[in-house]
Amino acid sequence: MIPAAFDYVRASSLTQAIEFLRDNPDGARLLAGGHTLIPALKLRLASPELLIDIRSLAEIKGIEVGETHVKIGALTTHSELSASEPLNEIFPIFRETASVLADPQVRNRGTIGGSLANADPAADWPAVVLALRAQIEIAGATGRRSVPAEEFFLDIFSTALEPDEILASIQIPKAKTGTRYAYRKIRHPASGFAVVGIAIAMRMLDGVVEEASIGVTGATNHAFVGRDAVEFLTGKALTRDNIDEAARMLSEKTECLSDRYAPAEYRANLVRVELGRALLEFSQ
Ligand SMILES: Cc1cc2nc3c(=O)[nH]c(=O)nc-3n(C[C@H](O)[C@H](O)[C@H](O)COP(=O)(O)OP(=O)(O)OC[C@H]3O[C@@H](n4cnc5c(N)ncnc54)[C@H](O)[C@@H]3O)c2cc1C
């Protein structure tokens, strides 16, 4: 439980943090909330030579509600996401998700940027940013670039971030009036992470699904969009039969992870049951 020796620097600007990364391409790790990284250091699952503390970088903190988009700085904590009235007035899914993420201690320190950059296949926020069709803003030595959330998660603990890049913010387009949201999660009883988590954004018009998006976490190597189920549901009423069919489609198309707690068949069944339950909430 004692980390290997490392050097520590506190970055005073995003540019400086990127320079530190560029100068130490293999041996440096960013420190945000530390609630994934520090346990990993203590267990020696990670042994970086240099920790770059980015916690004081005001330029990637906070929530801005603009005309067309909401911008969330990478260093915004899970608690801040839950507490923000302007954010939850538009996207109540942030409070709903934060309320089932870990415990108050973790929520007070852990950041959304750290969670997305870490890309734990069982983390909660990846499903939410997929359902909200967010863009992930990435800062690097040559400037900034924006990646759709759907292209950001590549594999288990693997993202579109290059070694010398920093996740700067999450930009979410405001949805049309009447869009509703839900996040459902089956928690692992020991870790609290998602065995399966489903985030939905949906707008109904005259009793049929006008527009929807579904983000799924926990089930596979990385969070993904439930596109086939959305295509099936669009233009249809949320009848029991249509819900069952969409849930069956998503479950059958998902190549689920298997572990000692949840074999693949069990996870696939959870995908079916949880999507069905989540969709039922929109039918009422
Ligand atoms: C007991 C416990 C229970 C938890 N339960 C849950 C849960 O139920 N659901 C859930 O989703 N999560 C859970 N977590 C994880 C928690 O949400 C972490 O806070 C989060 O995964 C990582 O965020 P962090 O800010 O702590 O990042 P850190 O631990 O500081 O960093 C994590 C990784 O991301 C990198 N990184 C951090 N910020 C950036 C950035 N801006 N750009 C690029 N790379 C960056 C770091 O270098 C590191 O590799 C739990 C953690 C603990 C300890």
Side-chain angles (χ1 to χ4, degrees), residues 29-30 32-37 78 102 110-111 114 117 123-124 167 185 192-193:
R29 290 290 275 274
L30 300 168
H35 268 63
T36 294
L37 185 55
H78 312 313
T111 66
D124 295 294
L167 195 164
K185 161 187 187 180
F193 276 86

Side-chain angles (χ1 to χ4, degrees), residues 3 11 15 20 32 37 49-50 66 68 75 81 103 147 243 249 259 261 271:
T15 309
F20 283 134
L37 185 55
E49 287 159 18
L50 177 68
T68 55
L75 287 174
L81 293 167
D103 50 47
V147 176
I243 289 175
M249 282 173 87
D259 57 34
Y261 177 71
V271 169

Side-chain angles (χ1 to χ4, degrees), residues 29-39 54 60 74-75 78 100-103 106 109-115 117-118 122-125 161 165-168 185 187 191-194:
R29 290 290 275 274
L30 300 168
L31 176 68
H35 268 63
T36 294
L37 185 55
I38 290 180
I54 56 171
I60 56 167
L75 287 174
H78 312 313
V100 292
L101 190 158
D103 50 47
V106 174
R109 301 287 295 190
T111 66
I112 187 166
S115 174
N118 192 53
D124 295 294
W125 294 125
L161 283 165
E165 289 184 320
I166 297 181
L167 195 164
K185 161 187 187 180
R187 292 170 72 106
S191 71
F193 276 86

